[in-house]
């Protein structure tokens, strides 16, 4: 392309024709002519400078060439052919030329390159032009740096030249340039756009993301100039297209500065908002990064298509109300309901500014969000079809608008849209704040209504959303109040026992029908000392607790098919589902009719099956097999099995209150199973209810069936009480609780419980006892010394006692002549010191 056809310098030969045209055309013609003459003057000026200041080493050849080119141009009868100057200007970029000449040459080439690909192709015919341009990025002149970066920006915009720009060291030089603190906004902008063009290539994205550029890009998002923000945002949006870059980008802190452009409607231009949204949508494909996005006050909202909103029908002829359906108490200045919903709109838009409206912040946000989204839906602007939307399944909105829009989608008729909204509600319900926001926005009522939907994908998505929302106690109460039990019970009866929806339904039901909510108030909050008195208190409390929920009716829960399904789950499902089923059945035992139906089923067989899990071996072979099991069995599986057994033991304890059940069970079989579990290596915290159930079974069986000496009490001491007391001493709850624990432990050992000292040693009790003797005082030290003395009677314990540092501690006690010095001296004499 010649300069005569260049878009910036083009003018026509048809002067008479142009001047004969209307005034607007004449003005445009004169402007183009003036622009070209200005460029021509600049070219001649540069050529003159080069001719007069050429180095003597050039031998005059460069001057002659310049003079010849000027003569050829001046002799031409046609307008100047600008292409003849391109080679000249590229030669002027050489390092042997004056810096001012190089600056003017690169500036001229940059302006020429703005003509498009043909002009860029003309420049690239000269080898070395890119390297010389990159070298100018080191210049101290802001004008030269801007022009060089601008030329590189244009060259890198052409696909075939992108690799050449990168191979010429442009990324490294731009990195060095952008670290300077005194750059002009123009230099920053052009340099960043070079990176934006290069980052189109995936392999160059990785290079840019793993360099020192990433922190600089994030910093430029806070630049005062919006053009710089947009350029930096463009680079980050491209970098986010590669999944391999996500981790390093998030660790560098890219999410908060990008999120700020989308949190409000005022900050940032449309360009930076689109770039921020594009980058965050890519990052949000990872579930963890999606959580970080929600923590920044943004939510992902599904794009369901503008056509889906056509089924939206706003409530007309109605007084303003809260999104959850309750009445909004505001002073009305109108005589009646608005026919077209104007009253709703006006109240919703001004509720934040109305000082007379006393509402919680969450309710105000719900009203504002609903009003804005319903207004957009009514005017058809809630989801505008464009090319960007076609490439994404979601958009990103501030949480107030996003929550309201998802609730609005639940009210549409499109099944696919409803399912997407429910799934997004589930994904966004990661915190108490978000769950409460959905509750206030009216999501619960719509979700409960949709449980019985004919579409299976809608049902599964809705149940998933309710399951996530029910984690919050307040929201769970609202879900219960909306009448969720009936549809959930129907869904459980119709679902596959091991299906995903079964798991979620059981989670919701176990939170609503939770026996521990009432039982927690009946137990001492602190550590239990583990004595028989403590177990008797626990047994009495477990027998006498009642439920006071007024919203749960017995007839809603006494469905035989529902109870039968729970027993089936208890028998055949995974430990996680068994835990939930056992908890719900325990709750049902508080109702007489439900308890009768449970005992009429084969509940004993179900419990026995649950107790016969592969993790539970007898105490005889447990120690020999433990190392193998610990290496082979997954810790999580053992945890889940422990939870299931603990829940089943609680259920069994409740059922033992029924005389009919007591008479019809094989107590010895259940006792043997629980004794094996108690002696196993399941976590200690799951053994409390196993021990309590065993104690209750022993009372039911009586001494005639178990012999004159009841071994259950001993096993409870060895496998539950002693380990728990040692944990209490280790965890250092408080000096008082430690003292209580060590005194109780000393009592058990002093009574001569079989293998009690061995149990203390096996549970690692020697080290915390020595520590307690060193730091404690009074009764705690007395009890600790007594326990250690008993342990020292077994020579196998001597190495552990010495390793725990007992000797120096005992010597200090003896030398200090404290009240315990004689006991400490006796202990020292038993040790090999």
């Amino acid at each position: 392309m010649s300069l005569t056809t260049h878009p910036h310098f083009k003018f026509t030969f048809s002067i008479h024709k142009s001047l004969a045209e209307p005034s607007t055309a004449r003005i445009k013609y004169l402007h183009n002519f003036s622009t070209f003459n200005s460029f021509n003057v600049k070219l001649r000026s540069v050529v003159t400078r080069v001719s007069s200041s050429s180095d003597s080493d050039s031998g005059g050849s460069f001057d002659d060439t310049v003079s010849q080119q000027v003569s050829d141009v001046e002799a031409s009868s046609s307008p100047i052919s600008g292409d003849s100057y391109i080679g000249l200007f590229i030669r002027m970029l050489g390092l042997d030329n004056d810096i001012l000449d190089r600056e003017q040459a690169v500036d001229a080439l940059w302006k020429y390159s703005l003509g498009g690909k043909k002009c860029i192709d003309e420049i690239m015919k000269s080898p070395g032009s890119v390297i010389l341009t990159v070298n100018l990025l080191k210049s101290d002149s802001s004008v030269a740096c801007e022009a060089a970066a601008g030329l590189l920006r244009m060259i890198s915009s052409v696909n075939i030249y992108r690799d050449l720009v990168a191979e010429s060291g442009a990324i490294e030089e731009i990195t060095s340039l952008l670290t300077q603190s005194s750059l002009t906004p123009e230099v920053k902008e052009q340099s960043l756009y070079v990176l934006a063009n290069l980052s189109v290539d995936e392999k160059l994205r990785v290079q840019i993301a793993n360099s020192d550029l990433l922190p600089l890009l994030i910093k430029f998002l806070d630049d005062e100039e919006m053009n710089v923000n947009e350029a930096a945002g463009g680079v980050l949006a491209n970098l986010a297209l590669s999944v391999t870059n996500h981790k390093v980008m998030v660790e560098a802190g890219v999410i908060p500065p990008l999120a700020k452009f989308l949190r409000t409607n005022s900050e940032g231009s449309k360009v930076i908002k689109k770039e921020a949204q594009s980058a965050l949508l890519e990052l949000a494909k990872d579930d963890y990064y999606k959580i970080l996005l929600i923590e920044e006050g943004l939510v992902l909202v599904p794009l369901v298509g503008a056509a889906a909103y056509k089924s939206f029908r706003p409530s007309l002829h109605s007084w303003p109300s809260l999104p959850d359906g309750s009445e909004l108490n505001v002073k009305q200045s109108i005589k009646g309901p608005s026919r077209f919903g104007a009253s709703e709109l006006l109240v919703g838009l001004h509720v934040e500014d109305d000082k007379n409206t006393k509402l919680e912040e969450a309710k105000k946000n719900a009203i504002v969000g609903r009003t804005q989204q319903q207004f957009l839906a009514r005017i058809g602007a809630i989801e505008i079809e464009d090319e960007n939307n076609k490439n994404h399944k979601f958009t990103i909105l501030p949480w107030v608008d996003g929550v309201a829009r998802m609730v609005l989608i639940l009210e549409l008729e499109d099944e696919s849209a409803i399912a997407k909204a429910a799934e997004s509600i589930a994904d966004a319900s990661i915190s108490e704040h978000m769950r409460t926001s959905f509750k206030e926005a009216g999501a619960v009522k719509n979700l409960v209504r949709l449980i019985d939907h004919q579409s299976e994908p809608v049902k599964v998505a809705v149940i998933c959303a309710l399951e996530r929302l029910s984690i919050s106690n307040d929201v769970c109460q609202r879900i219960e109040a909306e009448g969720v039990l009936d549809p959930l019970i129907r869904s459980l009866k119709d679902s596959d026992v091991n299906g995903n929806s079964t798991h979620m339904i059981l989670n919701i039901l176990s939170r609503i029908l939770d026996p521990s909510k009432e039982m927690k108030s009946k137990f001492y909050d602190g550590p239990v000392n583990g004595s028989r008195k403590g177990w008797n208190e626990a047994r009495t409390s477990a027998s006498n607790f009642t439920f006071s929920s007024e919203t749960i009716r017995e007839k809603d829960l006494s469905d035989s098919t529902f109870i039968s399904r729970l027993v089936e789950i208890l028998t055949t499902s995974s430990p996680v589902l068994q835990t939930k089923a056992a908890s719900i059945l325990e709750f049902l035992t508080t109702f007489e009719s439900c308890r009768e139906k449970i005992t009429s089923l084969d509940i004993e067989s179900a419990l026995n099956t649950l107790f016969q899990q592969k993790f539970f071996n007898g105490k005889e072979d447990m120690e020999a097999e433990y190392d193998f099991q610990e290496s082979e069995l997954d810790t999580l599986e053992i945890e889940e099995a422990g939870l299931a057994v603990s829940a089943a033991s609680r259920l069994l304890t409740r059922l033992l209150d029924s005389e009919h059940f007591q008479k019809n069970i094989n107590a010895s079989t259940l006792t043997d199973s629980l004794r094996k579990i108690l002696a196993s290596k399941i976590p200690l915290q799951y053994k409390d209810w196993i021990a309590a159930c065993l104690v209750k079974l022993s009372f039911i069986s009586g001494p005639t069936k178990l012999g004159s000496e009841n071994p259950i009490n001993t096993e409870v001491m060895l496998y539950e009480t002693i380990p728990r007391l040692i944990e209490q001493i280790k965890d250092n709850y408080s000096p008082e609780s430690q003292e209580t624990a060590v005194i109780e432990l000393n009592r058990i050992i002093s009574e001569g419980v079989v293998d009690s000292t061995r149990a203390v040693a096996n549970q690692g009790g020697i080290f915390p006892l020595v520590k307690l003797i060193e730091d404690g005082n009074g009764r705690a030290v007395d009890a600790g010394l007594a326990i250690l003395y008993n342990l020292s009677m077994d020579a196998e314990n001597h190495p552990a006692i010495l390793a725990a540092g007992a000797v120096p501690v005992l010597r200090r006690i003896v030398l200090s002549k404290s009240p315990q010095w004689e006991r400490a001296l006796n202990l020292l004499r038993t040790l090999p010191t």
Side-chain angles (χ1 to χ4, degrees):
M1 176 182 288
S2 67
L3 287 176
T4 57
T5 59
H6 195 285
H8 292 276
F9 313 119
K10 181 181 178 181
F11 65 94
T12 179
F13 299 119
S14 305
I15 299 178
H16 299 289
K17 180 179 180 182
S18 298
L19 294 179
E21 291 175 349
S23 58
T24 303
R26 290 200 303 271
I27 292 173
K28 183 176 181 181
Y29 168 82
L30 293 175
H31 170 72
N32 290 336
F33 186 80
S34 174
T35 303
F36 177 80
N37 280 334
S38 174
F39 181 68
N40 184 34
V41 170
K42 184 173 184 178
L43 298 185
R44 294 178 63 84
S45 173
V46 175
V47 171
T48 303
R49 280 186 50 81
V50 173
S51 300
S52 61
S53 60
S54 178
D55 196 292
S56 59
D57 293 339
S58 62
S61 60
F62 181 64
D63 293 335
D64 295 340
T65 302
V66 171
S67 301
Q68 182 62 41
Q69 289 184 10
V70 172
S71 299
D72 292 343
V73 169
E74 290 176 344
S76 176
S77 59
S78 63
I80 299 175
S81 177
D83 293 345
S84 61
Y85 285 105
I86 300 305
L88 168 64
F89 284 128
I90 292 174
R91 293 185 63 184
M92 288 171 59
L93 294 177
L95 302 178
D96 55 343
N97 293 314
D98 183 79
I99 184 61
L100 182 59
D101 295 335
R102 297 175 65 201
E103 176 184 317
Q104 291 182 343
V106 75
D107 185 62
L109 290 171
W110 176 30
K111 299 298 190 296
Y112 178 73
S113 69
L114 297 175
K117 185 177 182 302
K118 289 185 178 180
C119 295
I120 297 172
D121 290 339
E122 191 68 30
I123 295 174
M124 296 303 294
K125 288 179 181 179
S126 301
S129 57
V130 175
I131 294 179
L132 292 174
T133 305
V134 169
N135 184 267
L136 275 170
L137 293 174
K138 301 177 181 179
S139 174
D140 295 332
S141 169
S142 297
V143 175
C145 289
E146 179 189 357
L151 179 56
L152 290 173
R153 173 186 176 182
M154 296 305 300
I155 295 173
S156 61
S157 66
V158 180
N159 293 337
I160 59 176
Y161 304 135
R162 194 170 292 130
D163 287 340
L164 180 59
V165 173
E167 292 168 1
S168 299
I171 296 177
E172 292 78 7
E173 289 300 333
I174 289 175
T175 303
S176 176
L177 177 64
L178 292 177
T179 56
Q180 300 177 19
S181 57
S182 58
L183 290 182
T184 63
E186 292 78 14
V187 175
K188 295 177 186 177
E189 178 187 355
Q190 297 301 331
S191 300
L192 290 171
Y193 275 119
V194 176
L195 297 176
N197 289 339
L198 295 177
S199 60
V200 172
D201 191 317
E202 186 170 0
K203 64 177 182 293
L204 296 180
R205 286 186 214 137
V206 176
Q207 181 182 348
I208 294 172
N210 290 280
S211 66
D212 295 333
L213 277 169
L214 196 54
L216 295 172
L217 295 172
I218 296 173
K219 183 185 74 171
F220 288 137
L221 291 176
D222 293 325
D223 197 272
E224 296 177 355
E225 293 293 328
M226 187 54 62
N227 289 341
V228 177
N229 299 159
E230 294 173 355
V235 181
L236 291 171
N238 285 344
L239 296 182
L241 294 174
S242 295
V243 178
T244 53
N245 292 336
H246 288 184
K247 185 175 184 292
V248 67
M249 291 178 69
V250 173
E251 289 177 351
V254 75
I255 290 181
L258 287 175
K260 73 176 182 180
F261 294 112
L262 301 179
R263 275 198 295 266
T264 61
N265 294 324
S266 57
E267 187 171 357
S269 65
K270 290 184 178 180
V271 174
I272 188 61
K273 285 180 183 293
K274 285 187 176 181
E275 292 170 341
Q277 179 163 283
S278 175
L280 292 175
L281 282 173
E282 292 296 327
L283 294 175
K285 292 178 180 179
D286 184 287
D287 290 338
Y288 174 68
Y289 302 150
K290 187 187 300 182
I291 293 174
L292 299 180
L293 185 65
I294 296 172
E295 290 177 349
E296 291 297 325
L298 301 174
V299 293
L300 267 69
V301 179
L303 294 172
V304 298
Y309 291 96
K310 293 180 180 179
S311 63
F312 171 68
R313 297 292 182 268
S315 299
L316 305 177
H317 303 283
S318 62
W319 290 103
S321 61
L322 292 172
D324 62 3
S326 55
E327 185 178 351
L328 176 62
N329 294 322
V330 295
K331 292 183 179 180
Q332 299 290 343
S333 59
I334 52 179
K335 296 181 179 180
S338 169
R339 180 178 180 183
F340 300 106
S343 59
E344 286 266 6
L345 177 62
L346 292 174
V347 172
L349 292 175
H350 297 288
V351 69
E352 288 183 306
D353 304 324
D354 190 354
K355 297 180 180 180
N356 297 321
T357 305
K358 296 181 180 180
L359 289 174
E360 299 174 4
E361 190 68 22
K363 294 184 183 297
K364 288 185 178 181
N365 289 329
I367 294 173
V368 171
R370 179 193 63 174
T371 303
Q372 292 176 345
Q373 296 305 309
Q374 288 190 356
F375 176 73
L376 291 174
R378 292 173 67 177
I379 65 174
I382 192 168
E383 191 174 306
I384 301 175
E385 300 284 355
D386 58 30
E387 291 298 324
N388 292 328
N389 283 353
K390 293 180 180 179
N391 298 326
H392 295 290
K393 297 179 180 179
F394 297 91
T395 186
I396 298 178
L397 294 176
W399 70 267
V400 173
D401 295 323
V403 167
R405 183 173 297 188
M406 283 186 268
V407 174
L408 187 149
I409 295 175
L410 293 178
E411 300 174 1
L412 303 179
E413 297 177 358
D414 190 303
E415 294 179 357
S416 174
I418 295 172
K420 291 177 181 178
E423 291 170 358
S424 295
I425 290 174
D427 291 340
S429 299
I430 64 167
S431 64
E432 188 71 13
H433 164 69
M434 291 303 300
R435 290 189 286 268
T436 302
S437 299
F438 281 115
K439 180 195 74 170
E440 298 297 342
V444 172
K445 184 176 182 180
N446 285 311
L447 289 170
V448 172
R449 171 179 57 83
L450 291 166
I451 293 177
D452 290 328
H453 199 280
Q454 295 179 350
S455 171
E456 187 65 23
V458 171
K459 291 177 64 174
V460 173
V462 164
I463 291 173
C464 181
L466 286 171
E467 191 271 332
R468 298 287 181 86
L469 291 172
S470 66
I471 295 174
S472 167
N473 287 332
D474 290 339
V475 181
C476 189
Q477 291 176 8
R478 174 64 64 82
I479 292 173
E480 178 188 340
E482 292 291 345
V484 76
L485 284 177
D486 281 346
L488 279 183
I489 290 173
R490 287 195 297 270
S491 297
L492 182 64
K493 291 189 294 185
D494 297 335
S495 64
D496 179 20
V497 173
N498 294 310
N500 188 39
S501 60
T502 300
H503 187 187
M504 294 185 291
I505 293 171
L506 287 176
N507 278 340
I508 302 171
L509 290 175
S510 64
R511 288 164 187 158
I512 297 174
L513 311 176
D514 183 7
S516 64
K517 291 180 180 177
E518 296 292 335
M519 294 187 67
K520 284 178 182 177
S521 62
K522 296 186 175 292
F523 284 97
Y524 173 54
D525 244 349
V528 181
N529 60 17
S531 64
R532 180 174 296 185
K533 178 182 177 182
W535 286 119
N536 289 337
E537 290 174 353
R539 213 166 31 82
T540 304
S541 297
S543 301
N544 295 334
F545 79 91
T546 57
F547 298 93
S548 58
S549 177
E550 297 179 357
T551 60
I552 299 176
R553 297 175 299 175
E554 184 174 353
K555 66 178 183 179
D556 296 334
L557 304 174
S558 58
D559 185 283
S560 298
T561 308
F562 169 56
I563 296 175
S564 177
R565 175 53 62 94
L566 291 174
V567 174
E568 182 185 358
I569 292 171
L570 200 65
T571 307
T572 61
S573 297
S574 65
V576 175
L577 296 185
Q578 289 174 332
T579 302
K580 305 298 181 184
S583 177
I584 297 169
L585 285 169
E586 181 189 354
F587 184 94
L588 297 182
T589 59
T590 58
F591 303 108
E592 183 65 29
S593 62
C594 294
R595 185 164 60 247
E596 291 177 357
K597 290 181 180 180
I598 293 173
T599 55
S600 66
L601 299 170
D602 195 10
I603 187 66
E604 180 187 357
S605 175
L607 291 172
N608 266 320
T609 301
L610 192 152
F611 291 147
Q612 299 295 328
Q613 297 199 39
K614 61 181 180 179
F615 308 111
F616 310 133
N617 294 298
K619 61 181 179 182
E620 308 85 15
D621 58 347
M622 190 64 201
E623 292 180 4
E625 296 184 3
Y626 177 57
D627 292 337
F628 170 78
Q629 289 187 14
E630 190 175 36
S631 60
E632 293 294 325
L633 298 178
D634 185 59
T635 304
L636 179 60
E637 291 185 43
I638 299 176
E639 288 275 339
E640 292 174 349
L643 276 170
V645 170
S646 179
S649 300
R650 287 176 56 164
L651 171 60
L652 180 56
T653 303
R654 289 288 298 154
L655 291 173
L656 288 173
D657 291 336
S658 169
E659 294 184 5
H660 175 74
F661 182 73
Q662 291 180 18
K663 294 177 181 178
N664 291 279
I665 63 168
N666 187 343
S668 61
T669 303
L670 291 170
T671 300
D672 290 342
S673 298
L674 289 175
R675 288 172 67 183
K676 288 182 179 180
I677 296 171
L678 187 67
S680 70
K681 293 294 183 178
I682 65 171
L684 178 62
Q685 64 267 28
Y686 304 135
K687 291 186 177 182
D688 51 356
W689 277 100
I690 298 170
C693 188
L694 273 172
V695 170
K696 192 162 188 176
L697 280 170
S698 69
F699 276 94
I700 293 172
S701 300
T704 57
K705 294 184 180 180
L706 293 172
S708 57
E709 293 184 2
N710 189 342
I712 291 179
N713 290 333
T714 301
E715 292 180 358
V716 169
M717 291 289 184
L718 295 178
Y719 298 115
E720 198 282 330
T721 306
I722 290 176
R724 181 162 39 80
L725 292 174
I726 291 173
E727 287 298 318
Q728 187 173 330
I729 297 171
K730 285 181 181 178
D731 291 343
N732 193 19
Y733 294 113
S734 67
E736 293 78 11
S737 66
Q738 283 185 316
E739 180 177 316
T740 301
V742 74
I743 291 173
E744 178 65 18
L745 185 59
N746 184 41
R747 184 191 66 76
I748 293 172
I749 294 176
S750 300
E751 289 179 356
V753 177
V754 179
D755 290 334
S756 57
T757 55
R758 187 179 180 184
V760 172
N762 289 341
Q763 291 294 326
I766 293 176
F767 279 78
L769 282 171
V770 173
K771 180 67 174 175
L772 180 65
I773 293 170
E774 182 180 8
D775 300 335
N777 52 59
R779 298 172 63 196
V781 175
D782 280 332
L785 288 170
I787 296 171
L788 272 185
Y789 184 80
N790 284 312
L791 289 171
S792 69
M793 293 298 100
D794 187 348
E796 292 182 358
N797 294 328
H798 288 175
I801 295 174
L802 295 176
V807 173
V809 174
L810 295 173
R811 283 176 177 171
R812 282 196 295 270
I813 294 174
V814 172
L815 294 175
S816 66
K817 296 294 183 180
S818 64
Q820 299 86 16
W821 75 271
E822 291 183 355
R823 190 177 294 244
L825 182 60
N826 292 333
L827 178 54
L828 273 173
R829 288 172 178 169
T830 64
L831 298 174
T833 58

